[in-house]
């Protein structure tokens, strides 16, 4: 079995919701990172066996975004593409899928990545409109149910949070934040702790951005404007240098607990991609791998307590790879919510000193959370930071809607 290695890792800068990237279709975002990923290592697109992209909010304007993106990039029609969705876990799961293709001998070079334009997520009519206007039940207020007009029109982002699990089994979960509040109660996470974590996330991300740490990994995007010249978007839009504990403390809890807009992740736009190939192929091409894929594991739990999937996935991948938390030089835990991260660290048995190697350049609270892009974006940043620090092992883990979790261990190849 051939080992899978990552030889290139790029991303766009992350755009805020309805921000600089709002006019760029998802397939064009993805096309940009696909092309940059192969150009940086000097391989031609026709050498790629398959493109595996993740997108959680696909729409009718670009179905199978993997195929649409590679064609938009001008790649040969002979290159195939597939699109996956495991909600927030998607961007790391595509790397898992790519590694499996390589390890099983079905491919030698795979480009894997994630893309999301939450600014362009659809409002849509459900298929039941075909045989009867209206519905048997409405959705929670604010979820786009316009039943008073006889036609239910849904916001795909809001609706997906409810419909990631069957209502008849789990009831209505009005948002992902509901399980973060459960995590805070069960693990005794305070509002003050959440705000302090959020402040540190912004501080780290702002410092990394100001010091140019993200420059190497970011692919500038040229965005045409309705009037005037095009703009070049190359800096993350979401980190806030003005963030303070005082400002965070003034924000009202959304559900009456500890979670606020300030200590939770945001809705964003962006794309990221990595080139995964067999170790044998990388040697043939004279490429120096950034890291070897040691192992990636997925886990599931009650969707009402989705935070439990992080420690479950981490335990599973450590068992698979015979590694431990103590061996991890850098750790990335996706910040869906500060309450969730703090609960997960506690579940994983991490001590306060471990936090020095967790999310060292910020995460979802500061850098944003373009759902299917996130797992790849985090990996791109992790791999570049591992190289800067000469770190041997990196861990990435994410929890997602529907009670899903994923964790991956990566080893720098010297």
């Amino acid at each position: 079995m051939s080992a899978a290695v990552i030889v290139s890792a790029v991303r766009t800068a992350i755009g805020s919701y309805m921000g600089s990237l709002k006019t760029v279709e998802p397939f064009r975002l993805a096309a940009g990172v696909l092309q940059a990923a192969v150009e940086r290592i000097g391989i031609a697109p026709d050498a790629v066996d398959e493109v595996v992209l993740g997108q959680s909010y696909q729409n009718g304007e670009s179905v199978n975004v993997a195929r649409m993106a590679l064609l938009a990039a001008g790649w040969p029609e002979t290159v195939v593409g597939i699109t996956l969705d495991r909600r927030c876990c998607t961007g790391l799961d595509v790397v898992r899928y790519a590694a499996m293709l390589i390890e099983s001998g079905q491919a030698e070079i795979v480009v894997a990545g994630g893309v999301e334009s939450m600014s362009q997520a659809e409002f849509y009519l459900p298929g039941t409109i075909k045989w009867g206007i209206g519905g048997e039940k409405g959705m929670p207020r604010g979820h786009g149910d316009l039943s008073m007009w006889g036609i239910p029109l849904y916001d795909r982002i809001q609706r997906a949070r409810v419909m990631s699990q069957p209502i008849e089994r789990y009831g209505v979960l009005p948002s992902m934040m509901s399980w973060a509040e459960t995590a805070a109660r069960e693990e005794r996470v305070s509002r003050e702790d959440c705000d302090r974590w959020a402040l540190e996330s912004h501080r780290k991300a702002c410092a990394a951005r100001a010091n140019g740490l993200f420059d190497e990994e970011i692919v500038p995007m040229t965005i045409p404007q309705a009037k005037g010249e095009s703009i070049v978007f190359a800096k993350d839009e979401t980190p806030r240098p003005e963030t303070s504990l005082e400002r965070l403390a003034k924000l009202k809890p959304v559900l009456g607990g500890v979670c606020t807009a300030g200590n939770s992740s945001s809705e964003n736009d962006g794309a990221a991609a990595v080139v995964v190939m067999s170790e044998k192929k990388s040697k043939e091409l004279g490429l120096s791998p950034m890291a070897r894929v040691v192992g990636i594991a997925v886990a599931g739990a009650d969707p009402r307590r989705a935070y439990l999937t992080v420690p479950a996935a981490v335990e599973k991948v450590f068992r698979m790879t015979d590694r431990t938390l103590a061996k991890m030089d850098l750790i990335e835990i996706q910040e869906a919510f500060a309450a969730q991260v703090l609960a997960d660290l506690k579940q994983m048995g991490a001590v306060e000193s471990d936090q020095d190697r967790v999310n060292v350049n910020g995460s979802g609270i500061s850098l944003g959370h373009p759902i299917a892009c996130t797992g790849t974006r985090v990996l791109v940043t992790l791999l570049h930071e591992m190289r800067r620090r000469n770190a041997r092992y990196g861990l990435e883990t994410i929890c997602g809607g529907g009670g899903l979790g994923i964790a991956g261990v990566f080893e720098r190849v010297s």
Side-chain angles (χ1 to χ4, degrees):
M1 185 174 72
S2 180
V5 296
I6 299 172
V7 295
S8 181
V10 299
R11 68 177 179 95
T12 66
I14 302 303
S16 59
Y17 183 69
M18 301 305 287
S20 296
L21 293 177
K22 69 179 181 181
T23 62
V24 186
E25 299 98 323
F27 70 89
R28 297 195 193 281
L29 286 173
V33 294
L34 292 182
Q35 187 63 26
V38 296
E39 282 182 353
R40 289 197 177 187
I41 54 173
I43 64 172
D46 61 8
V48 176
D49 296 306
E50 188 156 355
V51 172
V52 184
L53 287 185
Q55 187 183 14
S56 292
Y57 296 111
Q58 293 190 68
N59 58 48
E61 299 303 301
S62 58
V63 296
N64 189 4
V65 73
R67 178 67 171 171
M68 186 81 161
L70 72 88
L71 294 176
W75 288 19
E77 292 92 342
T78 51
V79 181
V80 296
I82 187 173
T83 302
L84 305 180
D85 174 21
R86 205 192 288 268
R87 312 315 297 161
C88 307
C89 306
T90 305
L92 184 52
D93 212 13
V94 294
V95 180
R96 175 174 174 260
Y97 189 93
M100 287 191 293
L101 286 173
I102 288 162
E103 290 167 355
S104 64
Q106 298 181 65
E108 286 188 306
I109 303 176
V110 180
V111 181
V115 61
E116 209 74 80
S117 176
M118 300 183 81
S119 295
Q120 292 195 13
E122 290 177 326
F123 289 98
Y124 70 101
L125 297 175
T128 52
I129 196 74
K130 295 175 182 176
W131 58 83
I133 292 176
E136 296 180 355
K137 56 185 178 297
M139 297 299 289
R141 182 173 297 176
H143 283 248
D145 185 348
L146 301 183
S147 57
M148 71 284 287
W149 302 110
I151 301 177
L153 184 67
Y154 296 119
D155 175 345
R156 188 173 295 279
I157 295 175
Q158 300 291 346
R159 175 82 166 182
R161 290 167 181 158
V162 178
M163 301 306 293
S164 289
Q165 52 281 312
I167 292 172
E168 64 271 17
R169 181 171 180 181
Y170 298 103
V172 173
L173 299 184
S175 72
M176 296 294 102
M177 190 178 284
S178 60
W179 57 254
E181 292 290 359
T182 300
R185 288 193 302 272
E186 294 186 350
E187 298 298 333
R188 294 186 176 88
V189 176
S190 72
R191 164 69 185 275
E192 292 74 18
D193 288 340
C194 291
D195 286 349
R196 278 194 292 270
W197 186 274
L199 176 62
E200 279 298 293
S201 182
H202 280 282
R203 183 191 65 77
K204 293 175 191 175
C206 289
R209 183 177 61 179
N211 293 328
L213 299 189
F214 299 139
D215 292 353
E216 185 182 8
E217 65 196 53
I218 288 178
V219 177
M221 299 294 293
T222 301
I223 306 171
Q225 302 297 294
K227 294 181 180 181
E229 296 182 358
S230 298
I231 65 169
V232 176
F233 182 62
K235 293 285 186 183
D236 294 310
E237 208 162 29
T238 46
R240 297 181 178 180
E242 72 275 13
T243 303
S244 67
L245 281 177
E246 291 73 25
R247 290 190 179 203
L248 290 168
K250 290 178 181 178
L251 298 174
K252 293 183 179 180
V254 177
L255 299 178
V258 303
C259 295
T260 70
N263 58 38
S264 305
S265 60
S266 52
E267 296 172 353
N268 300 91
D269 308 330
V274 296
V275 179
V276 188
M277 65 175 59
S278 67
E279 192 169 29
K280 177 183 176 183
K281 191 67 175 179
S282 71
K283 291 177 180 178
E284 287 178 6
L285 296 175
L287 297 173
S288 299
M290 301 179 75
R292 179 171 64 90
V293 181
V294 182
I296 303 175
V298 293
D302 186 325
R304 294 165 296 191
R305 302 173 75 228
Y307 75 97
L308 295 176
T309 61
V310 162
V314 169
E315 180 183 6
K316 190 173 181 180
V317 79
F318 284 163
R319 189 168 62 248
M320 284 171 50
T321 62
D322 193 27
R323 303 301 194 277
T324 64
L325 190 65
K327 289 184 178 180
M328 299 299 110
D329 301 296
L330 288 170
I331 300 167
E332 290 283 348
I333 302 178
Q334 163 58 10
E335 294 171 352
F337 307 93
Q340 158 255 314
V341 177
L342 292 166
D344 285 336
L345 286 170
K346 189 173 181 180
Q347 284 272 327
M348 291 161 60
V351 297
E352 190 166 344
S353 61
D354 290 326
Q355 295 187 10
D356 292 340
R357 52 197 171 114
V358 176
N359 300 355
V360 296
N361 291 316
S363 187
I365 292 171
S366 53
L367 288 167
H369 185 19
I371 305 297
C373 166
T374 290
T376 316
R377 195 286 303 164
V378 169
L379 178 58
V380 169
T381 302
L382 173 63
L383 294 176
H384 284 270
E385 189 64 28
M386 287 173 67
R387 186 160 60 187
R388 276 192 294 271
R389 297 188 180 213
N390 198 27
R392 183 176 181 185
Y393 288 115
L395 169 71
E396 178 185 349
T397 182
I398 302 172
C399 54
L404 296 167
I406 191 166
V409 173
F410 302 88
E411 182 180 14
R412 190 182 58 78
V413 180
S414 55

